[in-house]
Amino acid sequence: MSVNIGIIGLAKSGKTTVFNALTKGMADTESPAAHVGIAKVPDPRLKELAAMLQPKRVVPAEASYIDIGASIKGLGKEKGISGQLLTQLSSVDALINVVRAFTDESIPHVEGSLDVERDIATIDLELAFSDLAIIERRLERIETSLKGAKQPERQGLLREQERLIKIKADLEKDVPVREQKLTSEEAKTIANYQFLTAKPLLIVVNIGEEQLPQAASLETELNSHYSRPKCRLITLCAKLEMELAQLNNSAAETFRTEFGMAESGLNRTIKLSYELLGLISFFTIVSGEVKAWSIQNGTSAVKAAGKIHSDMERGFIRAEVISYDDMVRCGNLSEARKKGLLLLEGKNYIVQDGDVITFLFNV
Ligand SMILES: Nc1nc2c(ncn2[C@@H]2O[C@H](COP(=O)(O)OP(=O)(O)OP(=O)(O)O)[C@@H](O)[C@H]2O)c(=O)[nH]1
Ligand SMILES: [Mg+2]
């Protein structure tokens, strides 16, 4: 199971272009249809391990991106976003809002003018409307159920009602669920609703080529307004990134140097969506394969094993763990073993970012 990230935004903001860049895809930017694709999560450590160990195969972690296609503008206000679109949006782990900052006379802006902050607010509002509509419907249903409810069901309903009213009040004050202070128990109940404003949000400001020299300063400036919990903002020239994504790595690198683009904007986008989701990576080196896996920060060794195969979780004996840095110093696992740097860890060991792990298990 990999992570799913939904790409939304106003019409003609560059959603499909961003999608193509992320997934090295060739989806038609002219069609407003939805697209699904996989991006390989860039990780320099995986490259380093591969260079060192010369495995037969190198397998990066993957993230799945969905280009929602439709613009969600205007859908929220009446009855909230609904149907298949809501199902699609509800199922993602995080959202990317592509906001147009590029100028192109031949592609009219849906709002008639360029205004990044206005467009960010528009989408935030649509998402909030959608959540409010879900809350309204649920509150109505609770009212009805309360009429005939006996204890302890009644108590549960009243508690849920109280929570929803609190969330609704905050939403109406423009505080998205992701910024609301909820106890861990509240957060757990709330998770069932899959509120759209609860999802981590990455704002991708889609700039034109001619704005590249100002990309960093624009990003800093906008970030000073958007440093909010579980929300990040990045500038990206989607059109250029999409073109570069079609080139081989070395040609793309040469290009980037010429344009003075320090790090691939694409890699930064994927990495940021990872950080937003609280994901970390661990590596396995098994039968000629070096593989990266992504897990939630704070995952135990036995659950990490389950990520690879359910048998490994069920029959978990222990994990042999070495940190990435120690691994690089040793050059290979047998050297690490000799030096006593392979540590034996039990089920409850909390996997650290960059750990190289060999799981021992019984089937
Ligand atoms: N000049 C310029 N054009 C861009 C840039 N990004 C996207 N475009 C163009 O803008 C148009 C719309 O881009 P799309 O990626 O299709 O936008 P979208 O949000 O998917 O559009 P819809 O799905 O129709 O709502 C296309 O013609 C793109 O080539 C950019 O950074 N610079
Ligand atoms: Mg599109």
Side-chain angles (χ1 to χ4, degrees):
M1 188 200 75
S2 75
V3 292
N4 289 303
I5 299 171
I7 302 174
I8 58 172
L10 292 179
K12 300 287 171 214
S13 60
K15 300 179 293 293
T16 305
T17 310
V18 168
F19 170 83
N20 278 341
L22 289 167
T23 61
K24 298 193 190 297
M26 305 277 260
D28 181 7
T29 55
E30 296 312 313
S31 108
H35 312 280
V36 182
I38 302 281
K40 298 193 183 332
V41 179
D43 192 330
R45 295 171 302 186
L46 186 64
K47 271 199 190 150
E48 179 72 34
L49 288 175
M52 211 167 76
L53 301 162
Q54 302 285 325
K56 281 198 214 82
R57 247 159 61 90
V58 182
V59 187
E62 291 181 338
S64 157
Y65 287 85
I66 307 162
D67 170 10
I68 297 298
S71 162
I72 63 169
K73 167 113 205 268
L75 292 177
K77 215 162 196 157
E78 291 296 316
K79 294 199 219 76
I81 299 167
S82 61
Q84 201 195 350
L85 187 58
L86 182 62
T87 311
Q88 261 176 342
L89 283 172
S90 299
S91 70
V92 302
D93 302 300
L95 290 169
I96 289 183
N97 176 15
V98 179
V99 184
R100 173 165 169 179
F102 69 87
T103 42
D104 190 330
E105 299 280 310
S106 67
I107 307 161
H109 190 292
V110 279
E111 304 282 322
S113 64
L114 268 188
D115 186 337
V116 170
E117 301 201 19
R118 174 201 61 204
D119 292 352
I120 293 174
T122 301
I123 295 292
D124 283 348
L125 203 59
E126 291 294 340
L127 299 177
F129 278 144
S130 171
D131 287 352
L132 283 168
I134 293 172
I135 294 177
E136 297 285 355
R137 282 198 293 268
R138 183 64 198 148
L139 283 175
E140 277 167 28
R141 235 171 285 150
I142 291 175
E143 273 304 325
T144 317
S145 311
L146 273 173
K147 283 180 192 143
K150 303 214 165 51
Q151 303 287 13
E153 193 201 347
R154 186 174 178 80
Q155 216 166 355
L157 287 168
L158 286 171
R159 204 176 318 125
E160 189 184 349
Q161 186 183 44
E162 191 189 332
R163 263 173 212 166
L164 288 175
I165 289 172
K166 198 172 122 205
I167 292 172
K168 182 169 169 241
D170 278 348
L171 269 173
E172 283 165 346
K173 280 183 251 156
D174 286 339
V175 184
V177 176
R178 78 177 85 81
E179 288 177 30
Q180 297 183 13
K181 289 194 178 57
L182 303 171
T183 65
S184 59
E185 203 210 331
E186 281 171 338
K188 226 185 264 168
T189 348
I190 297 317
N192 296 328
Y193 294 107
Q194 298 184 300
F195 287 128
L196 300 182
T197 69
K199 297 183 189 295
L201 177 69
L202 179 63
I203 301 169
V204 172
V205 176
N206 184 14
I207 57 171
E209 282 104 316
E210 69 291 348
Q211 288 165 289
L212 269 176
Q214 294 93 48
S217 60
L218 180 65
E219 191 173 303
T220 312
E221 194 211 315
L222 285 169
N223 260 311
S224 65
H225 309 192
Y226 290 96
S227 63
R228 292 149 51 181
K230 294 186 216 161
C231 177
R232 298 291 183 86
L233 181 145
I234 186 173
T235 52
L236 183 82
C237 181
K239 200 172 170 199
L240 185 62
E241 290 291 347
M242 177 177 129
E243 282 158 14
L244 291 181
Q246 316 295 345
L247 299 176
N248 68 38
N249 284 343
S250 72
E253 271 321 304
T254 314
F255 228 87
R256 282 186 199 288
T257 322
E258 273 170 32
F259 272 92
M261 301 159 83
E263 196 193 356
S264 151
L266 218 49
N267 286 0
R268 285 184 64 215
T269 308
I270 302 175
K271 266 199 284 193
L272 268 179
S273 42
Y274 247 59
E275 278 173 34
L276 263 178
L277 286 165
L279 295 172
I280 59 168
S281 303
F282 72 89
F283 305 101
T284 55
I285 305 169
V286 182
S287 53
E289 256 188 21
V290 175
K291 257 182 158 164
W293 304 85
S294 36
I295 48 171
Q296 206 71 39
N297 196 0
T299 302
S300 63
V302 65
K303 287 288 170 204
K307 185 91 195 163
I308 301 175
H309 201 290
S310 55
D311 282 350
M312 286 172 94
E313 181 174 347
R314 225 174 307 125
F316 183 96
I317 303 171
R318 57 181 177 268
E320 287 187 336
V321 182
I322 179 169
S323 72
Y324 170 77
D325 289 336
D326 280 345
M327 182 67 199
V328 170
R329 270 192 285 275
C330 294
N332 59 58
L333 283 174
S334 54
E335 189 60 27
R337 194 178 311 262
K338 253 189 251 161
K339 291 206 167 104
L341 290 169
L342 276 186
L343 304 178
L344 288 182
E345 303 284 1
K347 280 186 175 172
N348 298 324
Y349 168 74
I350 299 298
V351 175
Q352 305 295 306
D353 189 32
D355 276 353
V356 177
I357 308 183
T358 311
F359 291 104
L360 306 176
F361 64 104
N362 242 326
V363 273

